[in-house]
Amino acid sequence: MSSDNDCELLKVLNDHLENHRTAEALAAIKNPKFLETVRDKSWDLIPTIFKYISEDATSKSPELVLCCRELLTVVAENANPEEAILEFIEVIESTNDDILFTSVLEPLVKVHMRLPRRRGDSLKWVLNTVLDHLRRLSTPAAQFYEGPEERLLMDVDPAVVRINSLYSQISYCVKPLIDEVSSKVMNDIESIDEIKSCLTTFTLRIIGGPISFLDLSHGSKSKSDARVNAEMLMHFIACLNSNLMSFLEQVDRLQSLGIKEKDKESNKEDAECDADTDLFSMYDIPGKCFAVFYYMLLSEKVEFDRIPCVYDHFYVFQCCMYYSTTLFIANEFNIMLKGLNLAKVVIDMQMDSSISYEALDSPVHSTFQQSVINAMVYCSSLECRNLGVKVLESYIKKFDMKGKYIVLQSMLSSANHSGLAGFLLVQLKDILNHTLSCQEREKNIEYANYFSGQNLLGLILSPGGCTLSHGPETDLLEASDQILSALNLLRFLSLRDIKNSTGFWDYIPVIREKFMNPLREGIDLSRAHYVVKRKDLEMEKKVGRKKDSDQTNVSVTIGGQKIPNLPLNKKMLVVESALNTFDLIDSLLGRLNECLECYFVKNPPL
């Protein structure tokens, strides 16, 4: 009799669903006559119902899909949980269809919660299917959006809509598990700590997953869907863990494994995990997941009021320096922006000149410095570049005098970009101004000698300092930022350090030989070259021998690159701009020479 009922129920359900008779289908599965079939034959019922769920069915007949979801809920509430959970997982693993995935997720969780024992193992099965589905998501083209207003367009990006929709559904379905394990009703269930740890690692993994590529900041207007989802995930972690700063302890482990090796998974957008990786072990979570968590906690202030106040700010600073570097490695500006904001907030926690130079012994600082430099110089996002400048400027100020010297020495010796070198020379000028001001007030500045004598000369004549990489033949336009900052630094010292407190005046002959004289020659060569170009262009314009710029024999090269196919008047403007730059450099060099001559007239060398 039972076998007949089994066949009858399957036949009835197929007939009703095929003809879109949703009320009759629901009535049939709830019929007490078929209760035993629902309880014992879930492996037949679940595939039968799933046949009618798809994205195409949702658009053509949404009421049919809604009916199928109710049917699955009935099965989840009444079927043998050990059998039903395996069937649900098998179906969900065989599809990339989001409608099918979200339709099975809620009944899957319901079945799990009905299991009488081994809840920890079944929970891992359930959550692993969710992680597996999220790994298949495509990354949104976030690199095309820049600035808070422009990033609002991300909300209509199909990839973003898909991510937000899935995260919203996942949060809704996982919430009962979080509520259950966080309540006091769980005393009768084994391995509470294991379940909490499993849910924590799962939530950390998905917060560092596809949603991390979205804009999670909160402006003055309403919250985006991504922000709402991120806040919900942060709330889950806060419910599961009494100490939100405990994840800082993972830094030592991650550092020992090496940033690049450990974060290989995050760079591949959580593609495939190694066979030996335990997805639910805290020791196998990529640094990027912790980094996004602390970005939300410290920078966006989500669940901020739950942070214990006993943690030393310097400890938080050191740990989050590492976490921020894992976001720089991602090489995607929306991720990089989170790393910069995380770094900024922990740097701002420190007082100026409060960090000892000994902190620089940690390898994370060299990695961080190079990462910020790459962001501020090479990132295609103007927002990232500007924030990188602010972060690096603030970072340098936090160290003591010796620390500042070590940082500047390292960066200036490896600076291969004119803009970066110019920025570092401005920082050096500010430090020297502060040092001289304190000395005038007779304050004892520890390690002030690092910015005087041979140490100062080493900074000034470093590759990123007052030097020309190719002597007089250096492209002055390409190196103009560095040259202008170098001249301003030297002129500042000539006007400010009248007492020769830094020993600057002792090294003027060396500076003249290695920088000022080659620069003088370079200005003359460059100006003569562009004057000839200007005359050629003026002659071409005067005689009108060619009207099409593509046919001109005159070419203009800026920064080592030839400017192609510009109209004649545009080429004239480029040449005039170059000559103006040479005039500006020449003017600053002349003023510097005047300052030096004036000093030596009053203080003739012995």
Side-chain angles (χ1 to χ4, degrees), residues 57 62 128 139 142 148 238 290 367 401 420-421 431 439 497 512:
N128 186 53
T139 303
F290 294 115
T367 305
M401 279 297 174
L420 172 63
I431 293 171
Q439 286 179 341
D497 190 16
R512 283 187 188 275

Side-chain angles (χ1 to χ4, degrees), residues 131 135 196-209 237 240-241 246-259 261-267 270 273-274 276-294 322-323 326:
L131 291 173
R135 286 190 207 104
K196 280 189 174 184
S197 176
C198 186
L199 287 168
T200 299
T201 54
F202 166 77
T203 311
L204 284 169
R205 280 189 176 274
I206 65 172
I207 205 172
I237 297 174
L240 295 167
N241 298 270
S246 62
F247 305 129
L248 295 176
E249 300 170 2
Q250 298 297 321
V251 167
D252 289 339
R253 172 186 62 83
L254 291 166
Q255 280 185 303
S256 66
L257 294 173
I259 295 175
E261 291 182 5
K262 187 57 191 175
D263 282 13
K264 212 178 284 182
E265 178 183 353
S266 65
N267 287 337
D270 289 332
C273 297
D274 295 335
D276 296 333
T277 299
D278 183 355
L279 292 177
F280 301 101
S281 168
M282 195 68 67
Y283 299 104
D284 283 310
I285 297 180
K288 173 189 167 187
C289 299
F290 294 115
V292 176
F293 169 77
Y294 281 111
Y322 169 80
Y323 282 142
T326 65

Side-chain angles (χ1 to χ4, degrees), residues 230-332:
E231 287 186 359
M232 180 61 73
L233 296 176
M234 292 294 293
H235 177 69
F236 289 167
I237 297 174
C239 290
L240 295 167
N241 298 270
S242 58
N243 181 6
L244 297 180
M245 303 301 281
S246 62
F247 305 129
L248 295 176
E249 300 170 2
Q250 298 297 321
V251 167
D252 289 339
R253 172 186 62 83
L254 291 166
Q255 280 185 303
S256 66
L257 294 173
I259 295 175
K260 293 183 179 179
E261 291 182 5
K262 187 57 191 175
D263 282 13
K264 212 178 284 182
E265 178 183 353
S266 65
N267 287 337
K268 295 179 180 178
E269 299 166 20
D270 289 332
E272 295 231 7
C273 297
D274 295 335
D276 296 333
T277 299
D278 183 355
L279 292 177
F280 301 101
S281 168
M282 195 68 67
Y283 299 104
D284 283 310
I285 297 180
K288 173 189 167 187
C289 299
F290 294 115
V292 176
F293 169 77
Y294 281 111
Y295 159 76
M296 292 298 299
L297 182 68
L298 300 176
S299 182
E300 294 298 324
K301 310 297 183 186
V302 180
E303 302 293 335
F304 188 76
D305 56 334
R306 299 203 187 200
I307 296 178
C309 298
V310 297
Y311 277 83
D312 178 64
H313 283 179
F314 177 70
Y315 172 72
V316 176
F317 165 78
Q318 285 283 83
C319 293
C320 288
M321 281 293 97
Y322 169 80
Y323 282 142
S324 67
T325 59
T326 65
L327 298 179
F328 291 125
I329 291 175
N331 198 28
E332 202 278 347

